[in-house]
Each structure stands twice: as structure tokens, then as C-alpha cells.
Amino acid sequence: MEAAILVEDLRKTFGRGKAAKPALDGLDLTVRRGTVHGVLGPNGAGKTTAVRILTPLPRPGGGRAEGGGPDGAARPDEVRRRIALLGQHAALDEELSGRQNLELFGRLRRLGGAGAARRAGELLERFGLADTGHKPVRAYSGGMRRRLDLAAGLVTEPEILFLDEPTTGLDPRGRTEVWNAVRSLTGAGTTVLLTTQYLEEADQLADRISVLDGGRRIAEGTADELKSAVGGDRVDVVVRDAAQLDAAASVVGMAAHASRATTDPDRRLVSAPVTDRMAALAETVRALDAAGIDAEDIALRRPTLDEAYLHLTGRTTGPAESPAPAKTAEGESAA
Amino acid sequence: MTAHATTTRSTATRPTATHSMADALPAALTMPRRGFAHWARRPGQFAVGLAFPVMMLVMFAYFLGGGMAVEGGGDYTEFLVPGMLALTMAFGLEATMIELTQDINRGVLDRFRSMPIARSAILVGRSLLDMLGSVVSLLVMLGAGWAIGWRWHGTAAEAAAAIGLLLLLRFAMLWAGILLALVARRPESVQAVQILVWPVAFLSNAFTSPDTMPDWMGAVAEWNPMSATAGAIRELFGNPGWGGDSWAVEHSVALAVAWPLVLLAVLVPLAVRRYARLSD
Ligand SMILES: Nc1ncnc2c1ncn2[C@@H]1O[C@H](COP(=O)(O)OP(=O)(O)OP(=O)(O)O)[C@@H](O)[C@H]1O
Ligand SMILES: [Mg+2]
């Protein structure tokens, strides 16, 4: 296996003294060449910090971070030649047109005037911006901006492309546009490191997924592997009467031989892990009927990545506070 | 920190791959190109930038000029115009700061920094662009001065030297703006600088003679780099000076050369270093 990105025991602490807070606390990450690797984590997990150290913007506080060549910290220019970074926020000159932006970045990457102009034309075409290429970026929609941002990263074909939350803040259409653009790259052998808070995005795009929390990797695998970490299949029951939710939960839990069934009052949903799919389904239907609980829908399904994520991080995908436990911070300063 | 961490840190601080000036130049030259495109898109903004110092010059000449007497005798307009020229050159740092802090905030600078270009290229390019803007601004100011009755009385070579000194001061102040932007980062911080430049401007001989100030202020005003340039160009243009007789006054041309060079020697390396470590 050939690693395009190799991160070992990577550390980075922002702030000094009492205010010091580890953003990365011994992160390990290996990305195979030519694959799309998803990095999933709640706010403040350290995703951006890891990407920035690899690109290489700040220096690491310790450990190894190699992307595009051995020891990025020592030879940043060698790395810069091989990578492109798409930061968490679109990094474009708002006053310039889309075409002017691409030409600017092309010249900076030494394509020369004519070369930069030709490349800008190709990229505008490829990302569906040919018609709006002459307008100032200020007038672009979020999706157009993000596509232009992506195009700017591809002015010279990078070996490794870092995408930091490429679709945050986009509507579903903008998201699909960016997804398609990313998919078009992966056939060409580019290695992509993609951070995201959207599980669906990782599920759709990534070959492998690392789950980050508190500056460390807490799980890694394919989407399927992560999903199985929660357990196997699940049975979902939607009850007609919300008042029967608790009763349904105990009945379904018993029928599925699960220690506990989870409930979602908003959707009137009871969900429980099952081991033997068909037996559990039959048993659930029978038990509900016997208990006089009226079900609107009963279904067997694979766990979602959401559930895997919840199971792994102990929290939902919404905003989370203070990812770094206090005792880790003390351990750092004492060491 | 572990031992491993410490060793990596020391390799990280090793000088990065060196670039020759020939490498840095094409990248640096893209910055003026970008700036021209900005001017073309926002001609109004560019025009306002040019008009502001002209407005100041006219205000000082007509509203205050009547009440001002020049120490060594002579016309106040002839005294004021060189002072205002020096002031204009010193003040440009705000425009530099605004542009650079915007680039930082929008992540454009990070994108530049993640590209394989010399560390100094973007900053040198920025300073080249702003110097071109300054030349235009200086020409407009000279024209405005001429229009309100200022004349030069020296030789053409002396006038050229005066213009050279003004641009040298501007170049030094520009790098002060670059460094301040890299340290402050936030566009809001420009406002603080916009306010703070005023006391610095008045603590100089631009508008009035340091002799009329309290002792300590007069001393500061006399040694202010802006005063050195203003004094030197008054001498070179053959305009009335303020007639002091201290060492700083006697050697104003030498000081007007030395001050910006000293500032540059300090500011440029600091700014380039700061740029390389912007996100540490
Ligand atoms: N420049 C900085 N100065 C101080 N603290 C920082 C800095 N950058 C990041 N941090 C802190 O480091 C931690 C990790 O931040 P990071 O931006 O890497 O997280 P993230 O996973 O990208 O989060 P998000 O999903 O919100 O983008 C956070 O607690 C953050 O507050
Ligand atoms: Mg982030």
C-alpha cells in the first residue's frame, strides 16, 4: 500500500500557559494514493488544523505530517508543488471576475500569461462557469463560488487535493454540483482528503473514513465498516399514536432481543438493533399486534452513518462544545 | 512534549527551500496586475483615494494658511506643500493594510501561502503595486500644489532627488503597513491605525514649526522621519524651511535617506518572517 498522506502522532496546541488547548492530540492518519479519504468530526475536532498543517500552513507542534513528500515541515515548497488546498471558506478575490481569479492563480503557478488564460478557459468550461466567468465573484452564488474555488485548486493538476468542508453552507443543488466535480477528479488518480460534517457526504464520496474527536482519531474504516460498528441491521417501527411510543419501545426491544430500543418522538419512531433479521421482523409484528399497538410502518434497514457517528462520538452532528477533555490538557502541560 | 516532537520542531524551523530573485519576480509581478484589475473595476474608489490628500492640502492651505506664519519668512503655501507631500507618502499605509487584512480574512493569503512561490513574492508584489499607486498619487499632489501657487526653485536634478526621497519614505511606510496588517490581521484594526497616524502627523514639521511646540513635542517632531523628508525636500525644492538650527535640521537630507533605509532594514525581514508564520 502506497501512502500519499502519512500522519503520525500529530500534535498542535493553540494558546499558551493556562489557555493552551490541544487542537490535535496525537492524530494518526494514513491515506492511500488515489483514494478519497473522508475525515469526519464535530466542530472543533481538529479537522481544519490537520488539513492546514498538511498544506503546510502552520508548523506542527509535534509528530509527523507528510503529504506529497516526506516531511512536509522541512520542505514545504516541495509539498506545495504537489498539493492544492480548498479551505473551509472560499478563498477568492471578490473584486475580480471568475476568469481573472483563475488567471491570477495560474500565473502564480507559473503557467505564463497564455497558459494561464487557456487553463482558465478550460476550467470555467468544466465547472459550468463559462457563461458567468466574466462577472465579479462578488455576484456569484454560494455554489458557483465553491465551484470556482475548486477550479482554482486545479489550475495545475495536484497529486493531492485537500478539501476542507467543501459543501458547508451550500443548498442541495450546490452540494450535488460540488460532489460531481469531486467525483470527476477521482478517476484521474488524484488523492483527495475531504473533511466534512455531513455523514452523507462522506458516505457518498469517501473510500475510507476517519472519525475525529478531540484532536484524535476515534475510528476508521469504510462507511460499511463504521456502520457495522453500531451493530447489524435495525428494525424501525413508526407508531400511529405518539402516546403508545413508550409501550412500543418495550415491545420492540423485547421482540428484537435488544437490550434497548431508541425512540424519536418527533417521528413517532422506535428503532432497535436486530441479530436475526427475518425472525426479528416476524416477532415484532406479532408482538405489536398482541399488545394492540397500531403501527404505521415497519421496516428493516442497515444502520446509517449518523447512528455510527452518534455511537462513536456520543453526540449528534450538531454543534458541540469543548472537545478536549480537561484532563488531557493537564497531561500535556505536565509532560 | 515528547522527544520526537522536539526533533520535528527543530527541522521545521530550518530555512525553507531558497528561491532566487528570478524565481520570485514573476510571482511578485502578478500582484500589480491584480491591483490594476481592481482599479479598473472600482475606478471611483481609486479616485477617492487620490482626491483625499488633495482635499487636505486645499483645506490646510486656505482655512489655516491665513493664520500661519512661516518662521524663517516666506509663503505658507510654499512651506505647506512639501509637508503635505511627505504626509501623503507616510499615510498610504492604511490602504495597504486594508487590502492585506482583507486577503487574510478571505483566506486568499492562505491560498497564496499554500502555493510554491517564494515567501517574499506576494509581499514584494504588494509593495510594488502600492508604489505604482503612490507615484500616481504623488503626481496628482504635485499638480494640486502647483495649482494653489507652490513652485520649486531648485534645479531639475534637485527636484528629482526630492521626489526620490518622497517615494523612499513611502516605500518604508508601506512595509510598516504590511507588517501591521500581518500582525493585526483583522480589517477592523485599520481604524485604530487610521486614528493613530494623526498625532504622528501633527508631531512633525509638516504643518508648522517644531519651535512652536512644547519642548518634548518639538524634539519628537524634529526627529520624526516624516519631518526629515519634509525638511529635506523643502531644501531641495528651494522652499522655505522652518529655520531651526539643530543637528536634525542641518542634516535633513542625510536623515531623509537614512530613516527609511533603517526602517526598511527592520520592517522587511520582520514582515517576511511574519508572513511565513502567519498561522502558527
Ligand atoms: N488559530 C487558532 N487559534 C486558537 N485556537 C484555534 C486556532 N485554530 C483552531 N483552534 C482551536 O483548535 C480546535 C480545533 O479546531 P479546528 O478548526 O481544527 O476544528 P474543525 O474540526 O475544523 O472544526 P469545524 O468543524 O468547526 O471547522 C478548536 O477548539 C479551535 O478553537
Ligand atoms: Mg474546520
Side-chain angles (χ1 to χ4, degrees), chain A residues 14-311:
Chain A
F14 289 106
R16 269 162 225 240
K18 284 243 184 300
K21 204 173 124 202
L24 291 179
D25 193 14
L27 177 69
D28 298 305
L29 190 67
T30 309
V31 178
R32 253 183 310 158
R33 199 168 291 285
T35 63
V36 179
H37 195 99
V39 172
L40 202 59
N43 289 131
K47 304 182 295 290
T48 298
T49 307
V51 165
R52 286 169 60 83
I53 289 177
L54 280 162
T55 29
L57 293 166
R59 291 168 299 162
R64 229 150 77 108
E66 296 175 3
D71 205 353
R75 296 189 307 152
D77 272 346
E78 188 52 36
V79 176
R80 286 183 185 126
R81 242 179 282 285
R82 303 180 179 192
I83 61 149
L85 162 67
L86 195 65
Q88 188 161 352
H89 307 283
L92 299 162
D93 188 322
E94 298 275 315
E95 303 299 325
L96 299 185
S97 69
R99 180 178 293 276
Q100 283 173 320
N101 265 284
L102 294 181
E103 285 179 0
L104 168 69
F105 296 123
R107 281 173 186 276
L108 284 171
R109 288 209 179 250
R110 296 167 209 219
L111 296 183
R118 190 173 341 106
R119 186 68 181 147
E122 282 167 21
L123 287 167
L124 288 173
E125 193 70 45
R126 171 162 159 202
F127 287 95
L129 294 167
D131 293 340
T132 40
H134 62 281
K135 289 197 185 149
V137 171
R138 208 159 8 96
Y140 279 25
S141 73
M144 286 161 67
R145 220 172 268 246
R146 215 50 179 145
R147 274 181 287 147
L148 182 65
D149 205 29
L150 191 53
L154 299 174
V155 163
T156 51
E157 297 280 343
E159 286 174 35
I160 308 176
L161 182 64
F162 292 89
L163 303 174
D164 194 6
E165 300 194 17
T167 62
T168 299
L170 294 189
D171 62 14
R173 182 162 155 230
R175 187 166 303 168
T176 314
E177 286 170 0
V178 171
W179 284 357
N180 289 338
V182 173
R183 283 197 194 100
S184 74
L185 295 174
T186 53
T190 313
T191 309
V192 178
L193 182 90
L194 166 99
T195 82
T196 181
Q197 299 193 35
Y198 301 120
L199 303 147
E200 192 195 347
E201 183 160 291
D203 212 354
Q204 289 270 338
L205 294 178
D207 299 312
R208 281 180 83 75
I209 298 169
S210 295
V211 182
L212 250 62
D213 197 13
R216 287 172 218 237
R217 181 177 61 183
I218 55 169
E220 185 176 304
T222 61
D224 277 343
E225 283 165 2
L226 290 178
K227 286 171 187 170
S228 343
V230 214
D233 293 348
R234 302 182 73 89
V235 58
D236 279 1
V237 176
V238 178
V239 296
R240 202 173 292 282
D241 180 2
Q244 291 184 315
L245 201 60
D246 286 336
S250 66
V251 168
V252 173
M254 208 102 78
H257 303 290
S259 52
R260 70 193 162 97
T262 57
T263 56
D264 179 348
D266 289 341
R267 290 155 60 201
R268 285 175 282 125
L269 174 77
V270 176
S271 175
V274 297
T275 36
D276 183 345
R277 292 162 51 93
M278 294 324 287
L281 184 60
E283 182 66 21
T284 302
V285 174
R286 227 179 346 257
L288 284 172
D289 199 32
I293 296 170
D294 200 1
E296 207 164 70
D297 190 22
I298 300 179
L300 272 175
R301 63 171 174 83
R302 304 264 301 123
T304 63
L305 200 50
D306 275 283
E307 282 157 333
Y309 184 76
L310 186 63
H311 176 81

Side-chain angles (χ1 to χ4, degrees), chain A residues 52 58-59 61 63 74 77 80 85 90-93 95-97 100 105 107-110 138 149, chain B residues 1 8-9 13-14 19 30 33-34 38 41-42 106-108 110-113 115-117 279-280:
Chain A
R52 286 169 60 83
R59 291 168 299 162
D77 272 346
R80 286 183 185 126
L85 162 67
L92 299 162
D93 188 322
E95 303 299 325
L96 299 185
S97 69
Q100 283 173 320
F105 296 123
R107 281 173 186 276
L108 284 171
R109 288 209 179 250
R110 296 167 209 219
R138 208 159 8 96
D149 205 29
Chain B
M1 286 279 147
T8 317
R9 232 224 189 281
T13 50
R14 249 188 353 227
H19 291 268
T30 57
R33 182 183 295 276
R34 174 181 175 220
H38 281 183
R41 283 220 183 254
R42 291 269 168 110
R106 294 197 175 134
V108 176
D110 269 352
R111 175 160 258 159
F112 291 152
R113 291 174 69 238
M115 288 182 177
I117 41 184
S279 44
D280 272 9

